[in-house]
Amino acid sequence: MGYVLEVQNITKRFGGLVAVDNVSMGVNAGEVVGLLGDNGAGKSTLIKMVSGVYHPDGGKIFFLGKETRINNPMDALFLGIETIYQDLALAENLNVYSNIFLGREKLKKILGMIKVLDHDYMLAESKKVLKKLEIEIPSLKNRISMLSGGQRQAVAISRSLYWDAKFLIMDEPTAALGITEQKKVLDLVRLLRSQGLGIIIISHQLHDVFSVADRLVIMRRGEKVAERITKDTDPNEVVGLIVGAETVKR
Amino acid sequence: MNRNSDKRKSLLVFLGRRWALIFLVIESLVFSFTTEAFFSLKGIQIVLFYGTTIFLLGTAETFVIITGGIDLSVGFVMGFASIVSAKIVVMLTNMGVPPAISILLGMLITWMIGLVPGYVNGSLVARLNVPPFIATFSMLGITHGTSELLIRGVPAKNLPYLANAIGNGYFIYLLPGKAISFFNKPVIQRGELLLEIIPNMVVIAFVFILIFAFLLKRSKFGQHIYAIGGSTDAALRAGINVKAHLIKVYMISSFFATLSGTVYMLQYVTGKADAGAPFLLDAIVAVVIGGASLYGGIGTIGGTILGCLILSVLETGLRMMGVPTFDKYIAVGVILILAVLIDQFFPELIHREE
């Protein structure tokens, strides 16, 4: 079967430290893969190579079956690989629809020559994408600083989706949220999966990962130590794999 | 009870967000009753005439403050520009160029030169990560020193009379019931009433202020200035070229300072190194009174103009009452500290949600 995104024998060194060592993994369309590991296991470095922040020292990246070079974050966005970082990278002083369109604002001409922001268009389009994702936000003219953590997460996700993401990387999407909001975000992840996106989730919240991921990839000290189908394993085994307490069968 | 405290809070918020406007009205009323000259066509025009410098420097500062920076060099860049433009105009006139053309050329060339300090400020801040107040403080010193070197103790003088006519002329002259004239002061008989409406320099200032206010509010360029002020990371990841954008913002700031310098040259028919220095504090305070946050991301030109009017009315009113204007500096300093404290501890009180 063809993966949406696949990395083969990918490696990244920082001086003498091998942060990611010969790792291979793939994600199907409509699949959620949980990427697990302790701090310093190499999860973030791995996804930063996919999102164009780092350049791999070895190995290959395939996107939609074709080998691809991702030299910078704009390359990744152009391919349809969107990354939602833990800090979300929203401009808190701007309103919801301005954030969704940030950097790609829709303009209209007035007096036949002067280009100005087309607020009505951006508002209407943002409403549509939020509706499609079943997200409720009281007013899209509200500044981000007025929103709850879950609503912010939802805005960050809608922004990615509006720009036609085919692949989504989420770094600790539920870390800063209350219980109810965690559930909403996880529901949103399931909805995106049902719409055919490939998704990687990095999280320390094992419970969340187990409730939403189809497959788990576990890393330790830069290496991939195991891969499990979620329903064939349990948190105890996974914790063992993360900290290295069990003998590992690949 | 809860409802009552909610009501009280929303009243506080209502007043908090409009305190500047309310203050301006009260202040104007007080001066209208305590002085005879304030509430008159002349009085209001004096407010505008003395306000030109703050309007321009305040606009300059607004752009920089929205990005979360500050530009301490505007005052001395203005002085520098007043000297450079005066020198160029005198030089051209001495070479036999007609006054109108020397003045026009002098202003245009100075505006070009004035972009340099902004480019240097912006490059230091954006490319070399120098804190804005250090970069622009250094530029303050550099422009001050260069200005003094240029004049060597002798102020630029012998500007053509036309400079004075433009700088202190009015947009509209009205002989009630008889004639109306634009820019040209008509010859009048003694005892005739001539109404002079809107100083030329105020017209020039507002043409530029309105263009840039439009740019800030309605354009993609302006939107990205707000985004950078809100979160540099968000702006970067949205694909905005943050460094280039910041440099342009500092160039806009020094352009307005330069514009203010050339306006000063016409108004006072000379160039002076410290022409703009006393207005730096006023400009920053006007921006803060106008609702901008010194932490970046929030602010409007409209708000800044309101802040400028408050300060200009205060200055003019106190002068008309014969109160020394040192009091004004104390008041301005206190207002700045209060506004910043409110911004830090009760931001919702003064900033709108939308």
Side-chain angles (χ1 to χ4, degrees), chain A residues 121-138:
Chain A
Y121 178 88
M122 293 192 278
L123 179 62
E125 286 292 302
S126 301
K127 268 187 188 154
K128 270 191 236 164
V129 64
L130 288 174
K131 197 172 173 202
K132 200 172 112 194
L133 296 176
E134 298 163 19
I135 298 165
E136 277 175 40
I137 289 175

Side-chain angles (χ1 to χ4, degrees), chain B residues 302-343:
Chain B
T304 297
I305 296 303
L306 183 60
C308 294
L309 281 172
I310 286 183
L311 296 179
S312 189
V313 165
L314 193 64
E315 167 111 32
T316 315
L318 287 176
R319 274 193 193 185
M320 287 175 175
M321 283 173 70
V323 177
T325 46
F326 311 123
D327 296 17
K328 192 207 79 175
Y329 287 113
I330 298 173
V332 164
V334 172
I335 293 175
L336 179 59
I337 293 173
L338 281 180
V340 171
L341 286 179
I342 294 174
D343 187 11

Side-chain angles (χ1 to χ4, degrees), chain B residues 188-207:
Chain B
I188 50 166
Q189 270 118 46
R190 278 183 92 173
E192 250 185 330
L193 176 72
L194 176 70
L195 291 180
E196 300 167 322
I197 302 167
I198 315 177
N200 283 337
M201 294 300 106
V202 174
V203 176
I204 291 193
F206 273 90
V207 165

Side-chain angles (χ1 to χ4, degrees), chain A residues 107 115-117, chain B residues 214-224:
Chain A
L107 302 174
K115 283 185 181 172
V116 297
L117 299 171
Chain B
F214 182 86
L215 186 76
L216 182 63
K217 194 177 163 64
R218 303 282 305 270
S219 77
K220 186 169 173 170
F221 180 83
Q223 178 84 341
H224 289 179

Side-chain angles (χ1 to χ4, degrees), chain B residues 277-288:
Chain B
F279 298 101
L280 173 64
L281 181 64
D282 284 7
I284 294 172
V285 172
V287 176
V288 173

